[in-house]
Amino acid sequence: MIIVLRLNHRRIRDKRVSTHVGLVSRALGADKIIYTGDDDTGLFNSIKSVVKNWGGAFNAGYASDYKRVIIGYKKKGYLTVHLTMYGLELEKEITKLRKAKNLLIIVGGEKVPADVYELSDLNVSVTNQPHSEIAALALLLDHYYKGNELNLKFKGGKKIKPNPRGKTFY
Amino acid sequence: MIIVLRLNHRRIRDKRVSTHVGLVSRALGADKIIYTGDDDTGLFNSIKSVVKNWGGAFNAGYASDYKRVIIGYKKKGYLTVHLTMYGLELEKEITKLRKAKNLLIIVGGEKVPADVYELSDLNVSVTNQPHSEIAALALLLDHYYKGNELNLKFKGGKKIKPNPRGKTFY
């Protein structure tokens, strides 16, 4: 199982970024996302409607306390991996991630509490440059799956037929 | 040269997503981003301040007419590649991208005009599932560079020293 924990969602400011984090998690092979911060019905409805229309069994949940989530999954044997530009290089840590059967990937928001760096088993960077937690998550999942996640099939839902010039469905 | 063309930026709604598109372009090895839509000083200032603080020679520009940009770069011999979930699979097209010396990568916004599908040399998808243009751009650049862009060095600016537990600079 791969679970993504998105920290400190703010209903207005993070609406689109948090939605992207959720949809990237689903499209690239995570099983579930848990949001902390604002409990945002609109955000859950966006994710649910994508799952309904496009298939698969992806789940979105809410938790008020990130510490309990991280500690809880550690107790269940998950490797907890915090994405931060200050962390160790992804490529040097990727085999540890692949060896773990179950991953909790922690994706920060604007300000990450200091204890997240301590609670996580690993702090991992996708470049040490400022860019985007959405991109960092996508690259982590892609490297973890060695690109195979790009061919994931989702049961039920609409199916696009790749088209050189327009929009077609199977 | 790799240039990213971000279509139809809207000052309020797309503030953060368009910033992420710019920072991902820079961090993962593109040379320049051109925005169409709103001419947004705040957005340019965000990008410029990252370049100033973190180094390198990344550029951000504005154009009012996306068609002229696409046609202009085609005339200069650039391969123009439109990222869309409806396009051909990235993995099947990636050698064409690598063979091209110069790329214009077109990143759509909420609604992409139909002629973008016609004007582009290639319409390429990063999965045929809905997710994020930020993630799609990151994966395109990462696959294009075969992961080597993760070790890019940027001249001047701050340098993070990868740290297992906190934030350190060289």
Side-chain angles (χ1 to χ4, degrees):
Chain A
M1 288 280 278
I2 297 190
I3 297 174
V4 174
L5 174 63
R6 161 66 164 172
L7 301 177
N8 192 23
H9 167 67
R10 296 160 303 174
R11 200 185 310 263
I12 310 291
R13 284 206 53 171
D14 298 327
K15 185 173 176 268
R16 292 183 62 211
V17 171
S18 290
T19 305
H20 283 220
V21 172
L23 298 184
V24 164
S25 301
R26 173 185 170 276
L28 302 182
D31 298 285
K32 182 177 179 171
I33 188 163
I34 299 167
Y35 292 97
T36 70
D38 292 343
D39 189 356
D40 182 353
T41 315
L43 174 63
F44 289 115
N45 288 343
S46 301
I47 309 260
K48 274 182 201 163
S49 96
V50 167
V51 176
K52 195 182 162 198
N53 288 322
W54 294 89
F58 186 75
N59 246 304
Y62 174 77
S64 55
D65 183 351
Y66 66 87
K67 284 190 216 179
R68 285 185 65 171
V69 176
I70 300 174
I71 293 167
Y73 279 101
K74 279 172 89 163
K75 281 189 185 157
K76 288 185 192 171
Y78 279 63
L79 185 73
T80 57
V81 181
H82 172 221
L83 277 171
T84 160
M85 65 190 286
Y86 298 97
L88 302 174
E89 297 101 317
L90 175 65
E91 284 316 284
K92 294 189 179 159
E93 305 301 313
I94 194 80
T95 41
K96 283 183 203 159
L97 271 64
R98 289 206 193 105
K99 274 184 196 159
K101 270 198 185 149
N102 295 308
L103 285 182
L104 181 75
I105 304 168
I106 302 156
V107 177
E110 208 85 333
K111 278 178 192 168
V112 174
D115 58 2
V116 173
Y117 290 81
E118 296 300 328
L119 284 167
S120 307
D121 295 311
L122 287 175
N123 292 282
V124 165
S125 61
V126 178
T127 85
N128 298 116
Q129 294 288 324
H131 57 94
S132 163
E133 61 267 42
I134 300 164
L137 174 64
L139 291 176
L140 184 150
L141 289 168
D142 185 63
H143 286 231
Y144 177 84
Y145 286 121
K146 302 182 178 175
N148 294 314
E149 85 291 352
L150 298 181
N151 303 311
L152 269 178
K153 302 294 173 214
F154 290 82
K155 268 194 188 171
K158 298 189 271 188
K159 298 255 177 295
I160 286 170
K161 183 173 179 176
N163 182 330
R165 285 284 159 222
K167 304 181 183 182
T168 42
F169 289 88
Y170 280 109
Chain B
M1 288 279 277
I2 296 190
I3 297 175
V4 174
L5 174 63
R6 162 66 164 172
L7 301 177
N8 193 24
H9 167 68
R10 295 160 304 173
R11 199 183 313 260
I12 310 290
R13 285 205 54 171
D14 297 328
K15 184 170 176 272
R16 293 183 62 212
V17 171
S18 289
T19 305
H20 284 220
V21 171
L23 297 183
V24 164
S25 301
R26 172 186 170 277
L28 302 181
D31 299 284
K32 182 177 180 173
I33 188 164
I34 299 168
Y35 292 96
T36 70
D38 292 344
D39 189 357
D40 182 352
T41 314
L43 174 63
F44 288 115
N45 289 344
S46 303
I47 309 261
K48 273 181 201 162
S49 96
V50 168
V51 176
K52 195 182 163 199
N53 288 323
W54 294 88
F58 186 75
N59 246 303
Y62 175 77
S64 54
D65 183 350
Y66 65 89
K67 283 190 217 181
R68 285 184 66 170
V69 176
I70 300 174
I71 293 166
Y73 279 102
K74 281 173 85 163
K75 280 188 183 155
K76 288 183 191 170
Y78 278 62
L79 184 72
T80 57
V81 181
H82 172 221
L83 276 172
T84 160
M85 67 190 284
Y86 297 98
L88 301 174
E89 296 100 319
L90 175 65
E91 284 317 281
K92 295 191 179 158
E93 306 301 314
I94 194 80
T95 42
K96 283 183 202 160
L97 271 65
R98 291 206 193 105
K99 275 184 194 160
K101 270 197 185 149
N102 295 307
L103 284 183
L104 180 75
I105 304 169
I106 303 156
V107 177
E110 206 85 333
K111 276 175 192 170
V112 175
D115 58 2
V116 172
Y117 290 83
E118 296 299 329
L119 284 167
S120 307
D121 294 313
L122 287 176
N123 291 283
V124 164
S125 61
V126 178
T127 84
N128 297 116
Q129 293 289 324
H131 56 95
S132 162
E133 60 267 43
I134 301 164
L137 174 64
L139 292 176
L140 184 150
L141 290 168
D142 184 64
H143 285 233
Y144 177 84
Y145 286 120
K146 300 180 181 179
N148 294 313
E149 84 291 352
L150 298 181
N151 302 311
L152 269 178
K153 303 292 174 216
F154 291 81
K155 269 195 186 168
K158 298 187 272 189
K159 299 254 178 292
I160 287 170
K161 183 172 180 179
N163 182 330
R165 286 284 160 224
K167 305 181 182 183
T168 41
F169 290 88
Y170 280 108

